[in-house]
Amino acid sequence: DAGVTQSPTHLIKTRGQQVTLRCSPKSGHDTVSWYQQALGQGPQFIFQYYEEEERQRGNFPDRFSGHQFPNYSSELNVNALLLGDSALYLCASSSGTGYEKLFFGSGTQLSVL
Amino acid sequence: SQQGEEDPQALSIQEGENATMNCSYKTSINNLQWYRQNSGRGLVHLILIRSNEREKHSGRLRVTLDTSKKSSSLLITASRAADTASYFCATPMNNNAGNMLTFGGGTRLMVKP
């Protein structure tokens, strides 16, 4: 049973570029959440997708957008990259949106130069 | 600001000793979760304690929750070198947030062999 998979594992971009990160949830899960984790800090909630719709967004600008596909996989897009977008991006999946634990992928390490 | 804050930020102990980490949060919660992260990769769920529970055990882990003080503690007994990791507490972002979580800054635990 595959867990949460994310791709790519590492990515290097330059300022102003655009990036797409991908996530496949754990088998049987229908909800995907994205988190940003800066070095030495805790993860910060970006947004959550359920039934192909963005359910709620954290305190992130519109440069951050996402999508969920009918097979429950998800993409995170970041436009007009800034140096401050350098971070570990984590995808988490769950079965439903209730008070349940999250299963995390290993993350995508994004470096913006 | 983050909902949960861990204390201490860093902890170094010898193998076999107990490790205690504390978490404080600001608003009323339905539940509180603890996660572990090895070397800046994906987070792993450790334990979830609901607001009507005061204490919960899982193997060598013991979690307490004091809703009157808005605090929780994670105790790892008989620590091992493999317990070296960062530990985060997490709470729902708001009353209707379900599993959209706010994480604290984490406690970095080092267990010396």
Side-chain angles (χ1 to χ4, degrees):
Chain A
D1 178 22
V4 180
T5 58
Q6 291 187 243
S7 64
T9 55
H10 295 84
L11 204 50
I12 299 175
K13 292 286 188 178
T14 56
R15 282 179 297 175
Q17 286 189 312
Q18 178 265 342
V19 67
T20 297
L21 311 181
R22 296 176 175 82
C23 172
S24 292
K26 180 178 168 64
S27 178
H29 285 184
D30 57 6
T31 304
V32 173
S33 303
W34 287 92
Y35 288 82
Q36 180 196 66
Q37 186 179 24
L39 188 64
Q41 298 183 20
Q44 289 201 357
F45 175 78
I46 303 175
F47 39 53
Q48 184 181 76
Y49 277 86
Y50 173 67
E51 293 187 337
E52 301 181 49
E53 291 192 358
E54 182 183 295
R55 185 164 173 256
Q56 189 165 332
R57 168 182 287 262
N59 189 24
F60 281 82
D62 292 344
R63 298 188 297 109
F64 289 77
S65 64
H67 188 77
Q68 185 179 35
F69 298 94
N71 67 352
Y72 307 121
S73 67
S74 177
E75 288 182 349
L76 165 64
N77 300 292
V78 186
N79 295 323
L81 284 168
L82 303 174
L83 296 179
D85 295 331
S86 295
L88 180 68
Y89 288 85
L90 294 162
C91 170
S93 74
S94 59
S95 177
T97 60
Y99 295 106
E100 299 156 3
K101 66 182 181 182
L102 299 177
F103 290 78
F104 280 84
S106 296
T108 294
Q109 184 65 55
L110 172 65
S111 298
V112 182
L113 306 179
Chain B
S1 61
Q2 292 177 311
Q3 162 81 311
E5 295 294 339
E6 285 89 343
D7 171 63
Q9 291 185 328
L11 181 61
S12 181
I13 60 174
Q14 293 294 134
E15 211 167 23
E17 295 180 337
N18 295 342
T20 299
M21 289 157 264
N22 302 297
C23 169
S24 60
Y25 56 92
K26 298 175 182 176
T27 62
S28 62
I29 57 172
N30 175 277
N31 68 81
L32 184 143
Q33 303 182 41
W34 285 90
Y35 287 81
R36 164 190 167 135
Q37 183 178 40
N38 286 5
S39 303
R41 302 311 287 179
L43 281 73
V44 174
H45 180 268
L46 295 176
I47 200 164
L48 182 153
I49 186 166
R50 303 190 189 282
S51 59
N52 61 353
E53 297 176 307
R54 291 296 170 259
E55 188 171 310
K56 201 164 183 178
H57 296 255
S58 177
R60 293 184 296 112
L61 306 180
R62 171 180 168 248
V63 168
T64 62
L65 179 64
D66 187 334
T67 54
S68 66
K69 295 182 180 178
K70 293 186 170 58
S71 66
S72 174
S73 67
L74 170 66
L75 168 67
I76 304 174
T77 61
S79 63
R80 306 165 181 169
D83 294 327
T84 295
S86 291
Y87 293 83
F88 297 91
C89 66
T91 55
M93 291 171 54
N94 52 57
N95 285 339
N96 300 317
N99 57 15
M100 291 180 284
L101 302 178
T102 297
F103 286 81
T107 292
R108 284 139 195 85
L109 174 65
M110 175 174 288
V111 182
K112 301 175 184 176

